[in-house]
């Protein structure tokens, strides 16, 4: 501990400054009344381009991203760079979806993706399925932010769970008070610190290690010496398909997460969304630099922190910073990662609370809930969600949280036909969508169950790389399980829809359709749309 005093002081001071900003955020752009989901949960739907850019970027690039991506590169090599094509591909894809989602949500007052599904397909059951899916996929994601903070604390020699409990108690307090305004304000500081630290790292650390040639030579030597045929500084024939489908599947899943849509729906108009989709790839550049930290750690001979005889590879980046940076700047780097956990954790808890409030509480418990009642329920549920995330870390092996998040990606992909395709077509029958969702989930869980991880001795749920030999193919190639599960979902949804249509089973009423509503309206504020009869 004494060896890390300077780092700890810098970390604590910056953490407290940011926490203070979280409380001050309640008075930032303060409306007359915060007692509604529009204000507490979506910041009044008033954020402009800069705020939205920092908020969405801070939401998508989490503390876990900053420790897990380089850790994957450190242990597996080139496969860890899947995050680059994934974030390059994602923005053109979601450009097609998010402007429309913002428009329909703006006009109808939707707060969650399940709100849209409820109106679009006229099915409370389908909306409930989407809401529960979002909740289940989001919970382990919040727990993983704690894994990021824990990695930093371990690198400073701090063990035990009390510091994490204190950090999340502070987070819970200012999120309860300020709502989405808190992470929106904090995101400015968080992203600025991340950019400063990573840019400094890719200039300073290679200079200390003899240049990039030495770094790549060291990485190649390490992977050449391992028996694993799937690692290396270049992809192999066995993992190329996994790389492609993992990148594409992850891109499809990213903006299906409720917290991603929450940041987008807080924007004040469609032009903000469009500008952000063109500017957010700047984070992809940053992510590429972050991934290279894994190779730097190999060249620096970095060893992960060992706890109870088990090496925690998530500590690779914090330990590298401790090795290479002066103590004071290592403290800044640790604060960047720690604060990087606060922004997404706050948004995720708000998104999860909004799902429960709008699609479970209002739909099934109190249909006549007032705006103030909705806001109060969301505030309370956001606290419960954070407590649940802390309990995941206290009661479960953190590795289990990582596994849960891996499963969460496969789960959230199964909402794509209802949410993303639903914006463009009403062809699917609600029964077909529910059947597809169930089949996709079943297929995904079956595939994940069959995947072992020899590195840690796990026989099941050991990763997302599904071996094609399990389907009878004579090959060592693997594919992303979520990608195959989504294909099953779509096939069953199509077949189910055809069956329900042939049987003349009644479908739900579309409450969003008004003339050519889904055509591009031209007016970015959609102020000229006739709201009559929209509900």
């Amino acid at each position: 501990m004494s060896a890390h005093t300077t780092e700890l002081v810098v970390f604590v001071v910056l953490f407290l400054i940011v926490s203070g900003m979280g409380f001050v955020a309640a008075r930032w752009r303060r409306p007359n009344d915060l007692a509604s989901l529009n204000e507490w949960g979506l910041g009044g739907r008033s954020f402009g381009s800069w705020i939205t850019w920092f908020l969405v970027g801070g939401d998508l690039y989490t503390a876990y991203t900053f420790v897990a991506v380089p850790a994957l590169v450190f242990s597996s090599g080139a496969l860890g760079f899947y995050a680059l094509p994934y974030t390059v591909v994602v923005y053109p894809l979601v450009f097609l979806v998010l402007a429309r989602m913002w428009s329909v949500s703006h006009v109808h007052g939707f707060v969650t993706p399940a709100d849209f599904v409820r109106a679009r397909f006229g099915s409370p059951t389908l909306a409930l399925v989407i809401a529960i899916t979002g909740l289940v996929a989001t919970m382990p994601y919040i727990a993983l932010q704690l894994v990021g903070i824990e990695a930093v604390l371990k690198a400073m020699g701090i063990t035990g769970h009390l510091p994490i409990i204190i950090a999340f108690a502070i987070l819970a307090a200012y999120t309860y008070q300020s709502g989405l305004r808190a992470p929106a304000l904090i995101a400015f500081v968080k992203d600025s610190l991340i950019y400063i630290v990573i840019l400094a790292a890719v200039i300073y650390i290679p200079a200390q290690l003899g240049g990039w040639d030495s770094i790549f030579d060291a990485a190649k030597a390490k992977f050449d010496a391992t028996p694993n045929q799937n690692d290396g500084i270049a992809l192999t024939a066995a993992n190329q398909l996994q790389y492609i489908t993992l990148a594409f599947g992850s891109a499809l899943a990213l903006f299906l997460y409720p917290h991603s849509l929450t940041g987008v729906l807080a924007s004040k108009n469609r032009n903000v969304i469009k500008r952000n989709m063109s500017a957010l790839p700047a984070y992809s550049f940053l992510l590429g630099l972050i991934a290279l930290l894994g190779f730097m750690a190999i060249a620096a001979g970095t060893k992960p922190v060992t706890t109870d005889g088990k090496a925690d590879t998530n500590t690779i980046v914090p330990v590298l910073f401790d090795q290479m940076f002066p103590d004071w700047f290592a403290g800044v780097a640790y604060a960047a990662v720690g604060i990087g956990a606060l922004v997404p954790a706050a948004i995720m808890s708000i998104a999860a609370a909004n799902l429960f409030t709008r699609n479970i509480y209002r739909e099934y418990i109190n249909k006549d809930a007032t705006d103030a009642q909705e806001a109060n329920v969301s505030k309370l549920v956001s606290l419960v969600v954070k407590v649940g995330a802390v309990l995941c870390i206290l009661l479960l092996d953190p590795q289990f949280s990582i596994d849960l998040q891996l499963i969460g990606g496969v789960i959230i992909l199964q909402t794509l036909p209802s949410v993303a395709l639903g914006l463009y077509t009403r062809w699917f029958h609600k029964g077909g969508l529910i059947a597809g969702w169930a089949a996709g989930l079943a297929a995904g869980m079956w595939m994940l169950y069959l995947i072992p991880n020899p590195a840690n001795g796990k026989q099941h749920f050991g990763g997302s790389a599904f071996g094609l030999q399990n389907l009878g193919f004579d090959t060592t190639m693997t594919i992303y399980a979520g990608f195959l599960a989504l294909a099953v979902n779509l096939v069953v949804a199509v077949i189910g829809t055809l069956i329900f249509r042939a049987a003349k089973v009644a479908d739900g009423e579309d409450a969003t359709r008004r003339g050519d509503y889904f055509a591009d309206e031209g007016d970015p504020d959609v102020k000229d749309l006739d709201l009559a009869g929209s509900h």
Side-chain angles (χ1 to χ4, degrees):
M1 173 78 78
S2 59
H4 300 282
T5 302
T6 302
E7 298 166 357
L8 182 60
V9 169
V10 173
F11 175 85
V12 170
V13 168
L14 287 174
F15 198 91
L16 290 177
I17 290 172
V18 165
S19 298
M21 291 176 63
F23 288 104
V24 169
R27 293 190 291 275
W28 177 52
R29 296 173 166 233
R30 183 177 178 85
N32 293 329
D33 188 6
L34 265 176
S36 73
L37 287 190
N38 270 336
E39 291 297 341
W40 183 84
L42 291 179
R45 301 181 191 256
S46 63
F47 294 156
S49 298
W50 274 107
I51 298 173
T52 301
W53 188 75
F54 280 106
L55 180 66
V56 175
D59 186 15
L60 301 182
Y61 298 87
T62 68
Y64 185 64
T65 302
F66 301 131
V67 297
V69 171
L72 182 57
V73 171
F74 176 85
S75 58
S76 300
L79 187 63
F81 285 93
Y82 85 91
L84 278 177
Y86 145 39
T87 55
V88 169
V89 167
V90 69
Y91 297 113
L93 285 177
V94 299
F95 186 90
L96 299 172
V97 174
L98 292 185
R100 261 173 210 236
M101 180 59 82
W102 182 91
S103 291
V104 69
S105 299
H106 175 81
V107 171
H108 295 279
F110 299 154
V111 176
T112 70
D115 282 350
F116 163 73
V117 170
R118 171 72 171 86
R120 181 67 159 150
F121 295 99
S123 173
T125 304
L126 180 58
L128 179 64
V129 161
I130 298 301
I132 292 174
T133 304
L135 282 167
V136 170
T138 300
M139 282 297 294
Y141 222 147
I142 302 173
L144 283 182
Q145 304 317 306
L146 293 172
V147 173
I149 295 179
E150 197 169 46
V152 166
L153 294 175
K154 282 183 178 180
M156 288 189 287
I158 299 173
T159 57
H161 295 300
L162 183 60
I164 290 178
I165 294 173
I166 293 172
F168 256 56
I170 295 171
L171 168 68
Y174 66 64
T175 304
Y176 183 92
Q177 175 179 316
S178 306
L180 194 66
R181 286 173 169 80
L185 190 59
I186 293 171
F188 284 97
V189 178
K190 173 251 184 184
D191 289 356
S192 298
L193 283 176
I194 289 290
Y195 268 99
I196 290 170
V197 169
I198 299 305
L199 291 175
V202 297
I203 295 171
Y204 179 78
I205 296 178
Q208 301 299 306
L209 296 175
W212 288 104
D213 285 350
S214 298
I215 290 172
F216 279 96
D217 287 345
K220 185 176 187 304
K222 174 195 171 180
F223 295 124
D224 286 348
T226 65
N228 189 347
Q229 298 300 308
N230 288 323
D231 63 16
I233 62 171
L235 295 173
T236 68
N239 63 17
Q240 287 175 357
L241 182 62
Q242 164 72 5
Y243 181 89
I244 294 168
T245 53
L246 179 58
F248 187 56
S250 300
L252 291 176
L254 184 62
F255 275 89
L256 293 171
Y257 278 103
H259 60 274
S260 302
L261 283 172
T262 296
V264 168
L265 295 184
S267 306
K268 67 181 180 182
N269 60 45
R270 286 165 56 107
N271 281 344
V272 169
I273 307 299
K274 293 177 179 179
R275 281 193 290 268
N276 268 272
M277 290 309 102
S278 62
L280 278 168
Y283 282 96
S284 301
F285 169 72
L286 184 68
L287 189 58
L289 301 180
I290 290 171
L292 288 170
L293 293 173
F295 284 164
M296 294 182 209
I298 294 173
T302 303
K303 303 295 182 188
V305 175
T306 300
T307 306
D308 298 328
K310 294 196 316 188
D312 182 359
T313 56
N314 287 320
T315 60
I316 282 294
V317 168
V319 173
L320 174 68
F321 289 159
D322 183 45
Q323 280 181 247
M324 306 303 300
F325 286 145
D327 288 350
W328 69 270
F329 195 74
V332 173
Y334 291 162
V337 177
I339 295 166
L342 299 183
V343 173
I347 302 172
M348 289 170 193
S349 65
I350 290 169
N354 290 346
L355 275 172
F356 177 86
T357 301
R358 289 298 287 258
N359 307 116
I360 297 176
Y361 172 76
R362 184 169 183 172
E363 185 74 46
Y364 294 98
I365 300 174
N366 184 3
K367 289 183 178 292
D368 300 318
T370 64
D371 286 348
Q373 287 174 322
E374 283 189 343
N376 287 333
V377 169
S378 268
K379 288 180 178 181
L380 292 173
V381 173
S382 75
L383 296 179
V384 173
V385 167
K386 293 186 190 72
V387 171
V390 173
L391 289 176
C392 282
I393 297 299
L394 296 181
L395 303 178
L396 302 175
D397 181 345
Q399 179 60 43
F400 189 62
S401 294
I402 296 169
D403 295 338
L404 284 176
Q405 199 276 330
L406 169 72
I407 297 169
V410 175
I411 290 174
I412 201 66
L413 262 177
Q414 308 317 311
T415 66
L416 185 142
S418 300
V419 178
L421 297 185
L423 282 164
Y424 279 85
T425 179
R426 184 60 170 69
W427 180 81
F428 288 102
H429 189 283
K430 62 182 181 182
L433 288 170
I434 293 173
W437 168 84
L441 275 184
M445 293 303 103
W446 172 74
M447 285 185 279
L448 290 171
Y449 179 79
L450 292 180
I451 300 171
N453 187 343
N456 56 24
K458 296 185 69 169
Q459 297 300 310
H460 308 290
F461 297 103
S464 63
F466 180 70
L468 290 179
Q469 71 268 22
N470 291 309
L471 298 178
F473 294 98
D474 183 18
T475 179
T476 59
M477 294 182 71
T478 58
I479 189 170
Y480 176 48
F483 191 79
L484 275 184
L486 177 61
V488 171
N489 182 335
L490 290 169
V491 169
V492 172
V494 169
I495 294 173
T497 295
L498 293 174
I499 292 172
F500 282 114
R501 295 264 189 263
K504 294 184 168 36
V505 176
D507 203 353
E509 181 183 352
D510 181 5
T512 64
R513 174 66 65 181
R514 293 189 317 284
D516 63 345
Y517 177 79
F518 280 99
D520 262 345
E521 300 88 9
D523 180 356
D525 292 323
V526 273
K527 290 175 180 174
D528 59 337
L529 289 178
D530 178 13
L531 305 186
S534 63
H535 291 282

